[in-house]
């Protein structure tokens, strides 16, 4: 099994910056991809960004492209989400997720992921 623990959430001012971290432990060998998803109150959980562990290919939701950056430190089994110029509409619980095996070239979705963290709340104030 794989355990994922998020950290770094909190209150941030619009236009500021925040970095989320996700530490993975357990059977992480050859994990295919890591990603970030978010869920606002009353909304469905949605895709934010993913990164392929081998090669470093990234994918971003249109709503965050150019503002957020996903990256990994494979030696530390950690994935990050750098949030620059956040907006109030970015307020949500942010979840770290991981996928074990490659299943095709399509975008990774909520239903694609195998493991989930408990989430960390990000609140963006104006």
């Amino acid at each position: 099994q794989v355990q994922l623990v998020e950290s770094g959430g909190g209150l941030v001012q619009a236009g500021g910056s925040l970095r989320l971290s996700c530490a993975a432990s357990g059977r992480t060998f050859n994990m295919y991809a890591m990603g970030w998803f978010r869920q606002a109150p009353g909304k469905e959980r949605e895709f934010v960004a993913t990164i392929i562990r081998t090669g470093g290919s990234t994918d971003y939701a249109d709503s965050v492209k150019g503002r957020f950056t996903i990256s990994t430190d494979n030696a530390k089994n950690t994935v990050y989400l750098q949030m620059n110029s956040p907006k109030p509409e970015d307020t949500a619980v942010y979840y770290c997720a991981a996928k074990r095996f490659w299943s095709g070239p399509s975008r990774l979705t909520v239903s694609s992921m195998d493991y989930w963290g408990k989430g960390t709340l990000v609140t963006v104030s104006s």
Side-chain angles (χ1 to χ4, degrees):
Q1 293 293 306
V2 172
Q3 295 80 46
L4 305 173
V5 180
E6 304 98 334
S7 62
L11 177 65
V12 63
Q13 189 177 46
S17 65
L18 192 69
R19 189 178 77 161
L20 306 183
S21 299
C22 174
S25 61
R27 299 179 63 85
T28 59
F29 180 75
N30 276 344
M31 189 68 65
Y32 170 64
M34 303 287 290
W36 290 94
F37 298 77
R38 67 187 182 187
Q39 187 167 18
K43 301 290 186 179
E44 293 292 310
R45 191 170 301 185
E46 66 177 5
F47 164 81
V48 175
T50 52
I51 184 166
I52 308 302
R53 298 291 296 278
T54 301
S57 179
T58 58
D59 191 21
Y60 295 93
D62 289 342
S63 60
V64 306
K65 190 174 183 179
R67 299 187 297 116
F68 294 4
T69 302
I70 186 170
S71 62
T72 59
D73 184 337
N74 289 331
K76 296 181 178 180
N77 288 316
T78 301
V79 61
Y80 305 95
L81 185 69
Q82 180 67 43
M83 303 171 62
N84 293 333
S85 300
K87 306 173 182 179
E89 53 263 43
D90 294 319
T91 295
V93 175
Y94 282 71
Y95 296 90
C96 177
K99 182 172 178 59
R100 292 177 63 193
F101 306 119
W102 178 86
S103 59
S106 60
R107 166 175 283 183
L108 294 172
T109 65
V110 169
S111 61
S112 300
M113 312 309 288
D114 299 307
Y115 302 99
W116 293 89
K118 295 185 181 297
T120 185
L121 177 63
V122 173
T123 302
V124 183
S125 65
S126 60

